[in-house]
Amino acid sequence: MKQKLEAIRQEALNAINNADVSSELEALRVRYLGKKGELKAVLNQMGKLSAEERPAMGQLANEVKAAVNDALAAQAKRLEEAALNKRLENETLDVTIPGEPVELGHKHPISIVLDEVKDIFIGMGFTVAEGPEIELAEYNFTRLNTEEGHPGREWTDTFYITPGDKDPKNDAVLLRSQTSPMQVRVMEAQKPPIRIVAPGRVYRKDEADATHSPMFHQIEGMVVDKNVTMADLKGTLNEVIKSLYGEESVTRFRPHHFPFTEPSCEVDVQCFACKGKGCSVCKGEGWIEVLGAGMIHPKVLKGCNIDTDVYSGWAFGMGVERLAMMRFGINNLKLCFENDVRFLEQF
């Protein structure tokens, strides 16, 4: 039995030292130390030994078992270190290799123009005011002198969230159809002199085509001060258009009617595509409407407790998408909302 135990020790140690992977080590452990292993098979024969021989054989068996366990642990550690070194070698980062360039995004064409317009007005002494896109009919219509029965208040033109009723506490809630409610909100919170622009998204039930969208952007402008006239409005808007499109830009002011301004006008810019000759972009007119404007109606001023004997004011609302179309020569508004990278990468 002694020779058998020594043979097991020598054979196990040689096999363990030559093992290349951890799975092979586990197989050797089971082979020599498992419940059905070679060492257990020898120990099962201890009953055949005399009482004098058993202690010595038992001690030797324990020594063999300890030697095999130590060899297994040592080889496992060596294999782990070798695997780590190989991994470090394979995953070494060469800091001298040039990195892959990171492609940065950029502003959307509408955002570019909106920021340009805001910068122009800020340079004129205006401040930027922002308000809610979910608005009350009181601010979107009533306080702007747009009474019941006006076409703009119909459900066919405006996105209503709740219809409201005759009780003032149950006012209709809607997606604002214009940035004009900011006129009232600012005049409620601030007394003249007032010079603000209010940019933001607005919503109307327009069919999407080359120049219309049910969601678009406006920038509202308002001045309230002493001795403000229509000439101030016209001079300001002409300066803005020329700052955006160059000194050669041509504008046209046409009389119009808006409930919240009196007198009112619409402002057109000569079509960038046909230079006034008429094309599909301008629908054959040679001009593209960009904004409505006028002197703030006295009822609107009085509704905000502003003395109309002392103060007057003007206001306008610009369509930012149409400004962007002329700024970049875009011939279809829908391109701005389709998120086609081939289109957006041009700006």
Side-chain angles (χ1 to χ4, degrees), residues 68-281:
V68 173
N69 274 324
D70 290 345
L72 286 168
Q75 186 66 2
K77 185 176 181 179
R78 285 193 291 271
L79 292 177
E80 184 180 353
E81 290 176 351
L84 177 61
N85 290 333
K86 184 176 181 180
R87 182 179 175 186
L88 290 174
E89 182 180 352
N90 293 336
E91 298 181 3
T92 299
L93 175 64
D94 186 352
V95 296
T96 65
I97 297 177
E100 295 183 1
V102 178
E103 186 174 354
L104 298 178
H106 53 77
K107 288 183 179 179
H108 191 279
I110 292 175
S111 297
I112 294 173
V113 171
L114 185 56
D115 288 343
E116 288 180 354
V117 175
K118 287 192 290 186
D119 287 343
I120 292 170
F121 279 102
I122 289 173
M124 294 180 176
F126 287 67
T127 58
V128 178
E130 295 183 346
E133 293 179 22
I134 298 178
E135 188 58 274
L136 297 173
E138 176 76 10
Y139 285 94
N140 198 79
F141 295 121
T142 307
R143 298 284 295 277
L144 291 169
N145 198 38
T146 307
E147 300 295 342
E148 294 287 347
H150 189 278
R153 299 188 71 139
E154 297 297 325
W155 66 270
T156 52
D157 280 5
T158 299
F159 292 100
Y160 282 94
I161 298 173
T162 61
D165 54 38
K166 294 182 179 180
D167 187 344
K169 295 181 181 179
N170 298 324
D171 193 16
V173 179
L174 48 84
L175 296 179
R176 66 181 180 185
S177 60
Q178 54 198 354
T179 48
S180 300
M182 287 306 299
Q183 293 183 32
V184 178
R185 291 188 175 276
V186 170
M187 286 190 286
E188 281 184 336
Q190 180 182 342
K191 295 305 178 184
I194 299 171
R195 287 174 176 80
I196 63 103
V197 287
R201 286 183 290 265
V202 298
Y203 307 85
R204 297 180 189 176
K205 290 185 177 180
D206 288 336
E207 294 295 330
D209 60 25
T211 55
H212 293 83
S213 169
M215 186 284 295
F216 57 100
H217 297 75
Q218 276 190 345
I219 183 165
E220 187 84 8
M222 179 179 69
V223 170
V224 179
D225 204 344
K226 297 177 180 178
N227 302 317
V228 172
T229 68
M230 195 77 173
D232 300 317
L233 169 63
K234 186 174 181 179
T236 301
L237 294 179
N238 274 331
E239 184 63 28
V240 171
I241 296 299
K242 291 181 184 297
S243 297
L244 281 173
Y245 305 117
E247 290 295 325
E248 71 282 358
S249 301
V250 181
T251 59
R252 180 177 71 175
F253 287 73
R254 293 181 289 107
H256 198 69
H257 168 72
F258 297 110
F260 38 86
T261 53
E262 180 60 39
S264 304
C265 66
E266 283 190 338
V267 182
D268 306 328
V269 177
Q270 192 177 78
C271 179
F272 63 89
C274 65
K275 303 300 181 183
K277 297 179 181 179
C279 64
S280 60
V281 176

